[in-house]
Amino acid sequence: MAENNNVAEDCAAHSLTKLRLLCHALLGQATRAGIPLDHLMDIYLTTAYGKLDVRGGEEYRELAACANSANKPCRWRRWVAGAMVVLALSFVFNSYSDILIRLKNDFITSKCIVRNNYFVMEATRPRTRCERVCRGVSGPADLSANISRAEFEEWAYLSRPLLVRRGAAHWLALDKFSVAFFRSVYDSIEGSYDAVADDCQFLPFRTEFVDLRAALAMHPARAARLPGTPHWYFGWSNCSPGVSTILRQLAPRPAFLPLHSESSALDWIFMGSEGPGAAWHLDYVQRPSWQAQISGTKTWHFRPVPECQQVCQPFNVTVNKGDIIFVDTNQWYHMTYIHEGELSITIGSEYD
């Protein structure tokens, strides 16, 4: 779903995939901090083989020989080795606090990364078919709110961003959704917070919140975005059937989605104050998604994946209250920014 699996903004390079960039950047920081590369190799070998005495043995010689090879199996192994070093560093070198705090925050504490096997997914991401997905695309296709199912189906699976202006303009959610509303709903349904914590995801983004309960219980002044209160932006997926029933009464499945398409059982909610939203990232999902802007104004920035950058171009689109954006977030790097004015609240899901 859009806006999950985030990495720092400087990690969305034009010429490297996310895994390669992150490994490269973090290993570079480790080197500048004085951690010898030989020591990093020891960490990898310890993690991979459970011992250090393989240095100089067959495994080490094989890895060293692979280092300068151009064949695909060797390239795969080098990046797996890099990933293992990154992970091992987070547990072994706690004395290198600046590097390791970032490492822990970006990779270890994210439930999404661990549960979804982040490194394997990035390393095995299918290459995007640039001619089909993004060649000649300079913005989203603007579609009418009165579009029929048959008309929308012609666009629904092209993997290019779509924007249905005022597609959610008559939803009851536009008058209901707020921090206080979500808190009252989750407080009133037993086990709803636990369902998010145990079976779904909470994404703190640039906040200190550790879970959805803490986020929705923020001080009223901060929720109201009064002057002097810190910026906040977070999101979560909902796994509580009771909450889902309430949400879908107020924010129904878009009526123009193809009749035969199935929506995900998960609702995703993102909300926050003026300022940065999600950082540059790809999502690792198999289906396109929709996201309705319930309140506020949000700008999406899109950038083609590395293999498409010679034939495709970046662009931006601003989504206003009542609009619905459709994105294949596995095909486009994207980031978001919240504009001054109303609190930004969105709800969305995946479809096939």
Side-chain angles (χ1 to χ4, degrees), residues 29 94 117 226-227 291 325 328 338:
Q29 291 179 33
N94 287 322
N117 205 355
L226 296 183
Q291 191 174 125
I325 189 169
D328 188 339
I338 311 304

Side-chain angles (χ1 to χ4, degrees), residues 295-323:
S295 66
T297 303
K298 176 189 290 186
T299 291
W300 292 70
H301 300 261
F302 293 105
R303 177 182 295 171
V305 293
E307 62 266 29
C308 297
Q309 286 168 4
Q310 297 303 311
V311 297
C312 303
Q313 61 181 309
F315 60 88
N316 308 333
V317 57
T318 297
V319 182
N320 298 303
K321 183 174 183 177
D323 295 343

Side-chain angles (χ1 to χ4, degrees), residues 2-43:
E3 302 195 59
N4 62 338
N5 294 322
N6 280 297
V7 296
E9 292 183 22
D10 58 357
C11 291
H14 289 277
S15 59
L16 295 174
T17 64
K18 191 182 339 180
L19 171 63
R20 293 177 177 178
L21 177 71
L22 292 171
C23 287
H24 178 79
L26 290 167
L27 290 175
Q29 291 179 33
T31 301
R32 290 191 293 273
I35 305 174
L37 290 178
D38 284 347
H39 203 166
L40 301 183
M41 181 65 76
D42 284 342
I43 297 169

Side-chain angles (χ1 to χ4, degrees), residues 197-218:
D198 296 339
D199 301 313
C200 273
Q201 292 176 311
F202 173 74
L203 304 173
F205 294 109
R206 295 172 174 85
T207 70
E208 75 284 5
F209 303 127
V210 296
D211 56 27
L212 181 59
R213 188 190 300 273
L216 295 180
M218 74 175 80

Side-chain angles (χ1 to χ4, degrees), residues 36-293:
L37 290 178
D38 284 347
H39 203 166
L40 301 183
M41 181 65 76
D42 284 342
I43 297 169
Y44 163 66
L45 293 171
T46 301
T47 306
Y49 299 104
K51 54 185 177 180
L52 279 174
D53 60 7
V54 298
R55 280 190 67 93
E58 180 180 352
E59 295 93 343
Y60 182 75
R61 288 195 297 273
E62 180 183 352
L63 190 62
C66 201
N68 294 316
S69 173
N71 68 67
K72 290 183 179 179
C74 281
R75 289 204 304 270
W76 165 256
R77 187 169 181 182
R78 288 203 303 275
W79 286 112
V80 170
M84 295 293 285
V85 169
V86 170
L87 289 173
L89 275 172
S90 67
F91 295 106
V92 176
F93 290 111
N94 287 322
S95 59
Y96 298 95
S97 58
D98 183 57
I99 297 173
L100 271 299
I101 287 174
R102 289 184 58 190
L103 195 66
K104 180 179 179 181
N105 289 341
D106 287 345
F107 294 95
I108 305 304
T109 61
S110 171
K111 190 180 298 182
C112 169
I113 293 171
V114 175
R115 289 187 176 180
N116 288 325
N117 205 355
Y118 171 89
F119 290 114
V120 172
M121 285 192 298
E122 173 60 26
T124 59
R125 176 179 64 83
R127 289 178 63 85
T128 292
R129 296 166 58 189
C130 309
E131 293 289 336
R132 175 181 178 274
V133 172
C134 60
R135 178 183 281 276
V137 175
S138 59
D142 275 285
L143 306 177
S144 166
N146 297 320
I147 191 169
S148 68
R149 283 197 177 105
E151 292 171 327
F152 185 80
E153 190 166 3
E154 296 179 7
W155 295 92
Y157 306 106
L158 298 181
S159 296
R160 63 170 292 181
L162 311 172
L163 183 60
V164 179
R165 296 285 184 188
R166 308 295 292 165
H170 301 296
W171 289 5
L172 298 176
L174 273 65
D175 297 321
K176 294 285 188 179
F177 282 8
S178 66
V179 176
F181 167 82
F182 285 111
R183 182 176 181 179
S184 67
V185 170
Y186 276 89
D187 284 349
S188 66
I189 297 177
E190 184 176 357
S192 59
Y193 287 114
D194 293 335
V196 173
D198 296 339
D199 301 313
C200 273
Q201 292 176 311
F202 173 74
L203 304 173
F205 294 109
R206 295 172 174 85
T207 70
E208 75 284 5
F209 303 127
V210 296
D211 56 27
L212 181 59
R213 188 190 300 273
L216 295 180
M218 74 175 80
H219 193 280
R222 189 175 184 188
R225 300 165 296 129
L226 296 183
T229 57
H231 167 69
W232 58 274
Y233 186 83
F234 60 85
W236 73 95
S237 52
N238 173 63
C239 284
S240 167
V243 172
S244 181
T245 298
I246 295 173
L247 297 183
R248 285 306 172 92
Q249 289 174 346
L250 302 174
R253 180 180 185 269
F256 45 79
L257 280 179
L259 188 62
H260 61 269
S261 70
E262 295 182 5
S263 294
S264 168
L266 295 181
D267 297 304
W268 281 90
I269 301 96
F270 299 96
M271 56 195 310
S273 57
E274 176 189 358
W280 284 111
H281 67 288
L282 287 178
D283 293 328
Y284 298 94
V285 294
Q286 298 301 314
R287 304 192 286 180
S289 60
W290 58 269
Q291 191 174 125
Q293 191 73 29

